[in-house]
Amino acid sequence: MAPSTRRGNETTAAGSSRYEAVADLAQRALADDDLETILRETTSAVATVIDARSLAVLELLPGGSRATIRSHVGRHPAGGEAGTVPATAESWVGTVLERGAVIVDDHRTSDVDPPVEGEPRSSVGVRIDADGEAWGVLEAHAADPGAFEDADLAFLERIADVLEPALDANSSRTPPDDPARPTETDRVFQAVETAREGVAVLEPGGEFAYVNEAYAELYGYEPAAMRGMHWEEVHPPGMISRIYREVFPQLSTTGVWSGETIGLRSDDSRFVKEHSLSSTADGGMVCVVRDVVERRRLESEFEEIYGRITDAVIGLDVDWTFTHVNDRAAELIGLEDRELLGHSFWTVFPDVDETFETECRTAMESQEPTSFEAYVPALESWLEVSVYPSETGLSIYLRDVTDRKTVERELRESNWALRRLYEITADSERSFEEKVTELLELGRERLGLEVGFVASVDAEADQFEVVHATADDRIRPGKTAPLSETYCRQTIETMEPFVLTDAPAQGWDDDRAYERWGFDTYVGCEIPSSDGSRTVCFADDDARSEPLTPAERSFVELAAQWLGYELERRHHQTELEELVDELEASNERLEQFAYAASHDLQEPLRMVTSYLRLIEDRYGDDLDADGEEFLEYAVDGADRMREMIEGLLEYSRVDTRGDSFETVDLECVLEAVQSDIRVQIAESDAEITASPLPRVRGDSGQLRQLFQNLLSNAIKYSGDEPPRIDVSAERSRTDGYWRIAVRDDGVGIDPEESERIFDVFQRLHGRDEPGAGIGLALCQRIVERHGGEIRVDSEPGEGSTFTVTLPPAGNATAEP
């Protein structure tokens, strides 16, 4: 349908038609040097947009008192091609020439005289200039008041702008065969001179060789003054640096550059400009600039039009017959406009869905615009449809949104597959075999392929073996083949999924892999693993019509990563289980040794000690001083040996004979320990102080032994002064464990020995001191069982601080 331009009912299609009319007329004006043709095409083009009783181009006659009609459409008030009209100051034409642009809603209430007495009621007109002077008028008239609006006036002004270069080129009125007739170059030069954009030509050295009026005006100069200036003079320093750094490198590579830069006017004011550069053959440049503020104003003015122009636009009359098809619509439908105009919409699209017809008929009946999305089988496309009704039909804008709909569908399917993948892999109730089977089934569904399998491959041995598979006679667990006769040989050579969507078309029809398996579609990815090479693959006998999407590739990669992680975990789990078995065997041997130490070794020691005591009792009076000393050494050695065996036995049983962990109140433990060593405390006159101590999770018996050893050592190595011992607790903000500190003011320890004191049988203060040298080693073993650490901070003569970390009560990680 022809878009309506009636006042109050102008559709967006009319706006699009105006833009297209201006652009089309501009091209014709440059291509055609016949002024009569240009003027005739002008009135014809404008008449298709402006709803007027008459429309005309009038030229001002010499003397300026009258104007003649050069071209018109409809019945003009002056009557006829050769008619003239007044152009004096009080006339309609004179008023337009004086004001430049005039719109009159109703001549009866206006101070502007009508073109002819009694006719018409409404008029719109703009002045046309040539060579900088008034040339004539472009006007339109209607019988109804209020027939024209501001959009009509703006449209005529743009048409007048397009006519000016053509009139300038033809102003000499030279005949067609006159050698002085303007050439194409002359017309182009005139167009450049009068262009709204600033145009300049630069010498290879950067000096301006030419600038048009618009360019010079933009920078605040006269054109002549700018010739010879260097381009750096019209840019601020920072912009100059950026041009050398960013613009010229691209210009030297591609020959063109465009973007926004900052210009410097003659009054030192700055402005943002839209800037385009093109290299010339001689090393110079052609520069086109436009004030961004002006550009943005125009963009705002035509924003809706430009947005619509990118859409496919069709017009239908009330009988659903094509009346208009723009280039984009013809391209979308796949038919030329001449093949569509005059044909029924339902003939072209017989299978369009019900939504399309319902929405369009509702819009026609209600005269309200509507928008919706519909699938058109004939185009195999999803379209975003905007319908704008009028009394004479519909303007329909179509935008192909198939890609967006495809992405949305792909996103939904991808999200679903990822959720299922997580559900399968995170299910602790499923076995590994069950997870692999369900993962392969999920992959088949996600990719739309028949077969899924996991294979073990060995490139050096040329071996391929299926280890997991969905139901298929060709691919089943245990199936083997030479790796060279499989697609997997290619899979393990790439760092990403290897994909075939049509194996014969991709050159695999003569390959041994295709001959053996016959899969037209194959997707395979190597499984990262340190325990041999594996692949996860999906395949189908039929070729795939669409390439693999990025989301589908990501799914295959994620499946391979999970399989790699799970296989690696299972491998390490096996190694760990073997290590645990070894440790358990080692502990069992240690238990056997402990048993032997407690029975087989202690029995001879008891016998040695007994006989030594008998010798002392029976022959003591017969021994001299040396004999008594030797006998005492032997008894002391036997006793020390017994202590060491008992300590070693106790050390070995920390992990195997300890009690289960429970909540332990350390204040109760400390109180019990002080009761156990009360004799030692009394004899040494020791003073023990303690701040409030926490409740921890552990073995109460072992913790009691831990603190008894620490307090006993603090008393034992207190020096000559009565021991002063302090016990305190502080909770770590990092891991929540308690730090229990036991401080004394005793003899201290050399820092270089701070690690060695926790070794078994290590004694730092000589063998004259009592003990077997296993107490601190036992403390360390107990603390480690509780998941903590023990350390000492000490200096000789400055005392020592033993710090123990223990888990708080309720800590689930500290299990025996």
Side-chain angles (χ1 to χ4, degrees), residues 445-502:
E445 185 174 356
R446 176 71 178 92
L447 304 176
L449 303 178
E450 293 179 355
V451 180
F453 61 93
V454 175
S456 175
V457 298
D458 187 336
E460 294 184 1
D462 193 28
Q463 292 180 350
F464 165 92
E465 180 180 358
V466 179
V467 292
H468 300 279
T470 56
D472 188 277
D473 290 338
R474 289 166 297 176
I475 301 292
R476 60 182 182 276
K479 180 74 173 181
T480 61
L483 179 62
S484 56
E485 296 181 8
T486 68
Y487 296 117
C488 287
R489 75 174 192 269
Q490 189 73 24
T491 301
I492 61 176
E493 293 180 1
T494 61
M495 299 297 292
E496 56 187 19
F498 174 64
V499 180
L500 293 173
T501 55
D502 189 344

Side-chain angles (χ1 to χ4, degrees), residues 412-424:
R412 288 194 302 270
E413 293 178 355
S414 179
N415 288 340
W416 169 81
L418 291 177
R419 284 196 302 270
R420 285 288 299 132
L421 179 62
Y422 173 77
E423 291 171 0
I424 293 170

Side-chain angles (χ1 to χ4, degrees), residues 379-683:
L379 303 179
E380 297 183 349
S381 301
W382 277 93
L383 300 181
E384 182 181 85
V385 184
S386 297
V387 181
Y388 298 89
S390 71
E391 295 178 359
T392 58
L394 300 173
S395 293
I396 302 178
Y397 295 82
L398 307 173
R399 179 173 297 172
D400 190 340
V401 294
T402 305
D403 290 343
R404 173 171 63 79
K405 299 289 285 189
T406 300
V407 169
E408 290 175 353
R409 185 186 68 251
E410 181 70 16
L411 183 60
R412 288 194 302 270
E413 293 178 355
S414 179
N415 288 340
W416 169 81
L418 291 177
R419 284 196 302 270
R420 285 288 299 132
L421 179 62
Y422 173 77
E423 291 171 0
I424 293 170
T425 57
D427 188 352
S428 59
E429 301 298 324
R430 289 184 175 96
S431 67
F432 175 72
E433 303 294 332
E434 290 173 333
K435 290 180 179 180
V436 174
T437 298
E438 293 197 36
L439 184 146
L440 293 176
E441 291 293 344
L442 175 62
R444 291 176 56 235
E445 185 174 356
R446 176 71 178 92
L447 304 176
L449 303 178
E450 293 179 355
V451 180
F453 61 93
V454 175
S456 175
V457 298
D458 187 336
E460 294 184 1
D462 193 28
Q463 292 180 350
F464 165 92
E465 180 180 358
V466 179
V467 292
H468 300 279
T470 56
D472 188 277
D473 290 338
R474 289 166 297 176
I475 301 292
R476 60 182 182 276
K479 180 74 173 181
T480 61
L483 179 62
S484 56
E485 296 181 8
T486 68
Y487 296 117
C488 287
R489 75 174 192 269
Q490 189 73 24
T491 301
I492 61 176
E493 293 180 1
T494 61
M495 299 297 292
E496 56 187 19
F498 174 64
V499 180
L500 293 173
T501 55
D502 189 344
Q506 292 173 262
W508 285 73
D509 50 337
D510 294 330
D511 193 270
R512 285 173 294 175
Y514 185 72
E515 293 174 356
R516 184 182 186 99
W517 307 99
F519 292 133
D520 281 15
T521 300
Y522 169 86
V523 182
C525 189
E526 185 173 12
I527 299 172
S529 174
S530 60
D531 184 24
S533 295
R534 293 180 178 85
T535 58
V536 57
C537 315
F538 300 92
D540 200 297
D541 290 336
D542 298 325
R544 180 182 164 111
S545 59
E546 298 292 334
L548 212 66
T549 66
E552 289 171 329
R553 285 178 175 269
S554 296
F555 172 82
V556 176
E557 290 176 325
L558 285 173
Q561 289 174 8
W562 177 81
L563 285 167
Y565 164 78
E566 189 65 18
L567 289 169
E568 198 76 10
R569 188 190 66 78
R570 286 164 60 85
H571 175 68
H572 290 312
Q573 181 69 25
T574 301
E575 291 182 338
L576 182 60
E577 289 173 355
E578 292 174 354
L579 179 60
V580 169
D581 291 341
E582 292 177 3
L583 289 175
E584 289 178 349
S586 176
N587 286 338
E588 185 176 349
R589 290 192 297 271
L590 184 59
E591 279 284 335
Q592 293 172 353
F593 167 76
Y595 181 83
S598 63
H599 294 82
D600 299 340
L601 294 180
Q602 292 208 50
E603 181 59 31
L605 273 177
R606 280 194 297 269
M607 184 177 66
V608 170
T609 303
S610 298
Y611 279 103
L612 287 174
R613 294 300 181 190
L614 284 174
I615 292 174
E616 183 179 17
D617 292 340
R618 185 172 298 180
Y619 303 106
D621 294 338
D622 297 333
L623 296 175
D624 58 12
D626 289 340
E628 290 180 355
E629 184 179 358
F630 296 155
L631 184 60
E632 184 179 350
Y633 283 152
V635 172
D636 182 64
D639 289 340
R640 190 182 296 274
M641 177 67 76
R642 187 178 64 256
E643 281 186 48
M644 293 175 67
I645 292 174
E646 290 175 349
L648 188 61
L649 177 61
E650 192 174 10
Y651 180 84
S652 69
R653 289 177 171 176
V654 168
D655 289 322
T656 60
R657 296 295 180 89
D659 294 332
S660 298
F661 283 7
E662 59 184 2
T663 299
V664 180
D665 188 338
L666 289 185
E667 291 194 348
C668 295
V669 170
L670 184 62
E671 183 179 347
V673 168
Q674 292 183 84
S675 176
D676 293 340
I677 61 172
R678 59 184 177 277
V679 174
Q680 188 180 8
I681 293 173
E683 290 177 349

